[in-house]
Amino acid sequence: MPLPSRQRPHHRPARRRKAALLAAAVSVCLLAAAAPPAPLGVGDRLYPYLGNPGYDVASYDLSFSYPGTNDKPLQAVTTINARTTTALDRLNLDFAHGTVSSVQVDGRPAAFARAGEDLVVTPERPLREGTWTRITVRHTSDPVPAKDQDGGWVRTADGLAMANQADAAHLVFPCNDHPSDKAMFTFRITAPDGYTAVANGVPTGADRAGGATTWTYRTRHPMATELAQVSIGRSAVVYRDGPHGLTVRDVVPSADRTALEPWLAKTPGQIAWMENKVGRFPFERYGVLMAQASTGFELETQTLSLFEKQLFTQTAYPKWYIESIMVHELSHQWFGDSVSPRTWSDVWLNEGHATWYEALYADETAHKPMEERMKAAYGSSDRWRAAGGPPALPKAPAPGEKISIFRPNVYDGAALVLYALRQEIGRPAFERLERIWVQEHRDATAGTADFVRLASTVAGRDLSGFLQGWLYGEKTPPMPGHPDWKPTAAAKVTKAAKAERATKAGQTAQDTKAGSAAKTGGAVEVPARQ
């Protein structure tokens, strides 16, 4: 309430003015602290509440204690080291599926509350801009999914694995769950005797005590939260040498070790093939995790790609196709993992490149012509753009289907952009661009504008106008060198044919993240997949 005019001094001494300003500032802080917790985000167009402003994570230290069954919560401790980028009275973490028992900030107890899918932490003392802080959260990590919360832990026949793309890491542990904030990771997984725990990075210890083992792994390169991987199961860990002494580490069910060996043995040659295209493998090791689970997809978790074991043991797909899928996930280690998307609208840079090298591998090793596949993709491109948006401007995920951004427009539709670019600037310039791209942005994030700028530099001319239509246009531009390529109308399908197709899709569909996004129906339009 304002003072009556007769009580207002005309000239307030400087000391009293300073005291009044301090009191006002304290009042503002108290009001801010009293404001109800609210979910925040970094403003991603597709996932507006992912990530949080005000700090930059340097490292995560994650401890999980597995109870010996995959239908009960794991006890967990997440420690985050971060540097503030602004002064903070409170900070938000993404965390949506677990019970928090305590939070500490810099060793002192901190208040915490839920707000949407955020955990809002109020430290005992405000955090100043440009300072280091350590947040420790004791919590559970629940492998049983809640309603409308797919992703995170994957329950396998003998334990657990992780599938966090695109927005599910915060269903497993508190984090800044956006690829723009990459960090180093340490994993400590305690499991009963008889189980083997494996995670991203390199092993640094296995301490046995009281009928259990604590396995420790550390990454040597920063990683996005969506690429974290922890496998707990009755597993065999198989080592072999890759190119130039690179360690190849595979994780497979112990009982299937011998049967899966022919597939495991293919990885070193595939790495050598990729290195010949784009340069040295960007991480400390690589391998595949073959999980006894039905996920409907394969996933490029950093240094340890996740595959369904049945992809290799069933006869639904020819060998050349499975090998090309292996190369798809391998190529993500360069495109998507080492060079991560700055926003989720840049996902075409991940999936378009992985699809490109998948198709190129099939072309060079199995005589499945790239040009035929691209021509078929061109015919479907207008329909893909109408359904899912242009490659660099994908439509938002469908309600209740957060991973539905993974549509054909960011797989074969995005690979088609790369094909058009190669047609426009020539093979030598395109191959030079690819090598420079992964070198220049290694261990970092990059976006579409960065790619356009680099392509223009390598080509020696401004390509922004040429790429504008290919990346953002509602209609597919003419293909350089192929004036005869035309969009094709969608074939009319009878109800009986639709029913038959749906039945077959239910029996055999694999969303391999390999260009067609089978869950969205794109697989039937991609050539050379039978």
Side-chain angles (χ1 to χ4, degrees):
M1 179 181 293
L3 291 169
S5 59
R6 66 178 180 273
Q7 295 180 8
R8 295 178 191 163
H10 293 289
H11 300 286
R12 181 176 293 163
R15 183 176 297 174
R16 293 178 63 188
R17 284 202 301 272
K18 289 179 181 178
L21 288 172
L22 178 61
V26 170
S27 298
V28 169
C29 289
L30 290 173
L31 286 171
L40 300 176
V42 293
D44 192 282
R45 188 180 67 86
L46 298 177
Y47 300 98
Y49 288 108
L50 274 190
N52 294 285
Y55 60 92
D56 179 34
V57 177
S59 67
Y60 293 92
D61 190 310
L62 307 178
S63 296
F64 298 106
S65 183
Y66 181 64
T69 178
N70 64 8
D71 59 357
K72 294 181 180 178
L74 291 74
Q75 296 299 314
V77 180
T78 295
T79 300
I80 300 170
N81 288 296
R83 187 172 180 84
T84 60
T85 57
T86 188
L88 294 171
D89 292 321
R90 57 169 58 150
L91 59 85
N92 285 35
L93 300 171
D94 298 306
F95 188 51
H97 191 46
T99 300
V100 177
S101 58
S102 69
V103 179
Q104 289 185 331
V105 177
D106 298 325
R108 299 184 180 90
F112 59 92
R114 295 282 193 176
E117 295 193 358
D118 281 13
L119 175 66
V120 183
V121 176
T122 304
E124 186 179 280
R125 301 174 182 175
L127 303 176
R128 291 176 296 151
E129 180 181 355
T131 58
W132 288 99
T133 186
R134 174 173 291 188
I135 306 106
T136 301
V137 183
R138 296 184 179 274
H139 61 97
T140 62
S141 186
D142 196 343
V144 178
K147 183 180 179 181
D148 298 327
Q149 286 188 335
D150 293 333
W153 287 115
V154 173
R155 297 165 67 192
T156 67
D158 60 345
L160 293 171
M162 278 188 196
N164 296 330
Q165 196 178 77
D167 65 331
H170 68 283
L171 302 182
V172 178
F173 58 95
C175 56
N176 204 29
D177 197 6
H178 193 271
S180 61
D181 192 5
K182 299 169 73 167
M184 306 296 281
F185 277 75
T186 298
F187 299 88
R188 308 174 201 275
I189 309 110
T190 301
D193 288 347
Y195 288 89
T196 299
V198 185
N200 314 86
V202 297
T204 60
D207 300 319
R208 294 172 174 82
T213 300
T214 299
W215 312 77
T216 303
Y217 297 86
R218 287 192 175 92
T219 65
R220 292 180 179 172
H221 298 264
M223 181 170 69
T225 51
E226 51 119 356
L227 301 172
Q229 182 58 267
V230 170
S231 165
I232 305 170
R234 301 187 183 278
S235 308
V237 182
V238 184
Y239 287 90
R240 72 190 74 235
D241 290 333
H244 49 78
L246 178 73
T247 298
V248 177
R249 172 196 59 175
D250 300 310
V251 182
V252 299
S254 296
D256 300 303
R257 161 73 179 86
T258 301
L260 293 170
E261 172 58 25
W263 291 108
L264 302 179
K266 295 180 182 296
T267 298
Q270 293 169 346
I271 295 172
W273 184 88
M274 274 299 301
E275 288 191 334
N276 186 54
K277 302 300 181 186
V278 295
R280 281 287 188 104
F281 186 77
F283 298 121
E284 57 270 26
R285 57 182 50 204
Y286 183 66
V288 299
L289 164 61
M290 296 183 180
Q292 297 186 81
S294 180
T295 60
F297 55 82
E298 326 306 324
L299 186 62
E300 66 274 13
T301 41
Q302 190 162 308
T303 72
L304 187 63
S305 291
L306 174 66
F307 289 86
E308 297 171 291
K309 188 196 78 172
Q310 65 185 12
L311 178 66
F312 304 94
T313 57
Q314 293 184 348
T315 58
Y317 299 99
K319 289 184 178 180
W320 72 263
Y321 175 83
I322 296 171
E323 289 186 43
S324 71
I325 301 313
M326 295 175 72
V327 170
H328 180 103
E329 305 307 335
L330 169 62
S331 63
H332 269 308
Q333 303 300 310
W334 285 265
F335 300 95
D337 293 12
S338 178
V339 184
S340 298
R342 188 163 293 135
T343 73
W344 277 111
S345 296
D346 300 312
V347 70
W348 77 274
L349 288 164
N350 301 18
E351 300 302 345
H353 277 102
T355 303
W356 175 264
Y357 289 103
E358 166 208 333
L360 189 60
Y361 187 82
D363 185 323
E364 293 187 2
T365 65
H367 310 294
K368 304 295 178 181
M370 164 81 80
E371 187 170 310
E372 289 184 10
R373 179 166 173 174
M374 292 298 100
K375 183 177 181 181
Y378 189 91
S380 301
S381 179
D382 280 359
R383 298 199 302 276
W384 292 343
R385 288 168 184 252
L393 196 67
K395 291 183 179 179
E401 300 177 19
K402 290 185 177 180
I403 64 169
S404 63
I405 65 166
F406 295 102
R407 306 178 179 102
N409 60 319
V410 300
Y411 288 89
D412 276 54
L416 189 67
V417 175
L418 298 176
Y419 183 83
L421 179 59
R422 192 180 74 170
Q423 290 289 104
E424 178 72 11
I425 67 176
R427 187 185 298 265
F430 179 81
E431 292 176 351
R432 192 162 61 252
L433 164 64
E434 294 289 274
R435 286 178 172 271
I436 297 172
W437 174 254
V438 296
Q439 291 169 4
E440 191 169 287
H441 298 288
R442 184 179 182 184
D443 287 339
T445 63
T448 301
D450 299 310
F451 188 79
V452 173
R453 279 194 295 270
L454 183 60
S456 298
T457 298
V458 172
R461 58 190 172 91
D462 186 2
L463 292 170
S464 56
F466 172 78
L467 286 170
Q468 178 70 25
W470 281 100
L471 292 169
Y472 298 104
E474 293 183 5
K475 296 294 183 181
T476 311
M479 176 60 72
H482 293 288
D484 57 314
W485 287 13
K486 304 295 181 185
T488 56
K492 292 183 179 180
V493 183
T494 65
K495 289 183 178 180
K498 286 181 179 179
E500 181 182 0
R501 179 182 294 176
T503 300
K504 289 180 178 178
Q507 292 170 344
T508 65
Q510 299 275 341
D511 179 7
T512 58
K513 291 179 54 49
S516 60
K519 288 186 290 187
T520 65
V524 297
E525 297 184 282
V526 177
R529 292 196 176 272
Q530 63 273 19

